[in-house]
Amino acid sequence: ACLSPSGAGLMEDKEYIGMKNNGGRFMDTKNYAEVLIDGKIYTLGGTEDEHYLQRVASYINEKTAQLKRQEGFTRQSEEYQTVMIFINIADDYFKATNRAAVSERQRDDMERESYGLKHELVTTQMRLEDAVRNLDEKKAELDRVKRELEKVHEENLRLKAVQAAMTTGRDGGLR
């Protein structure tokens, strides 16, 4: 954003550096807004919309008012007051930058952790699928063994019946 006091001729002397081609016609990409900062009207210009430019002015006014509420601030020279406003705005900027960096690191850590958890989930799902497949195979084998056991049991009963019949037949039916 570029800042100039109202009436400084900025609006009349717009530079068309910020022009872009829009379907064969050129448009100025700069937006301008008149704002009130510390009791003075300024024309603020930038690629952001007017609402954003008003928010910038509002932030500067809030910071200025916050400092003016401090005892003794207004008794200082105008230059000192301006420098203190700059320092406080820079302090807010660096704190916000640090918070953003911390947030980015936390986001990156969470993404890595999420990737690790997703990998672990896929691995666990694969192991579960293997275990289910193994269980199904074991159940099928158990069913096969049960059927064989039933056949053996039936064969055993049949053989016992034949043996009993033979024993009964040899003894003449007497035991």
Side-chain angles (χ1 to χ4, degrees):
C2 105
L3 177 70
S4 73
S6 180
L10 179 66
M11 295 298 286
E12 298 82 19
D13 299 334
K14 272 193 223 174
E15 294 181 21
Y16 290 98
I17 297 170
M19 294 179 71
K20 66 179 181 178
N21 189 339
N22 185 15
R25 59 185 199 280
F26 287 92
M27 295 179 53
D28 186 357
T29 58
K30 267 197 169 178
N31 296 309
Y32 296 91
E34 285 195 357
V35 298
L36 185 66
I37 298 176
D38 198 24
K40 296 180 186 135
I41 296 175
Y42 293 90
T43 300
L44 223 65
T47 56
E48 298 82 3
D49 65 13
E50 183 177 344
H51 177 71
Y52 177 83
L53 299 174
Q54 291 292 343
R55 284 182 47 218
V56 169
S58 177
Y59 173 77
I60 293 169
N61 285 326
E62 288 172 22
K63 189 54 70 175
T64 302
Q66 180 185 38
L67 290 170
K68 284 184 176 181
R69 285 192 298 271
Q70 292 182 4
E71 191 174 324
F73 181 79
T74 56
R75 289 192 297 258
Q76 302 297 324
S77 71
E78 192 172 315
E79 181 181 346
Y80 176 85
Q81 290 178 34
T82 302
V83 169
M84 291 308 296
I85 291 168
F86 290 164
I87 288 171
N88 277 268
I89 290 172
D91 181 52
D92 288 351
Y93 168 78
F94 285 113
K95 285 177 180 173
T97 301
N98 286 339
R99 282 192 303 272
V102 167
S103 292
E104 280 186 40
R105 281 192 301 274
Q106 288 174 339
R107 184 204 64 218
D108 292 345
D109 290 347
M110 289 169 64
E111 283 178 358
R112 276 190 294 280
E113 183 178 350
S114 175
Y115 176 79
L117 289 171
K118 286 177 184 175
H119 179 72
E120 187 177 326
L121 177 62
V122 168
T123 302
T124 302
Q125 284 175 329
M126 288 171 43
R127 277 194 252 140
L128 177 61
E129 288 170 5
D130 286 345
V132 167
R133 192 170 26 258
N134 191 19
L135 180 61
D136 288 344
E137 289 171 3
K138 296 295 182 191
K139 282 181 181 178
E141 185 179 336
L142 180 61
D143 288 343
R144 184 184 57 76
V145 168
K146 280 182 180 179
R147 285 190 302 273
E148 284 181 28
L149 185 58
E150 261 181 49
K151 287 179 185 176
V152 167
H153 183 64
E154 288 173 10
E155 182 67 22
N156 190 21
L157 288 176
R158 191 182 63 75
L159 288 174
K160 282 186 179 181
V162 169
Q163 184 182 18
M166 287 177 59
T167 304
T168 307
R170 254 192 278 152
D171 297 338
L174 298 174
R175 260 196 140 188

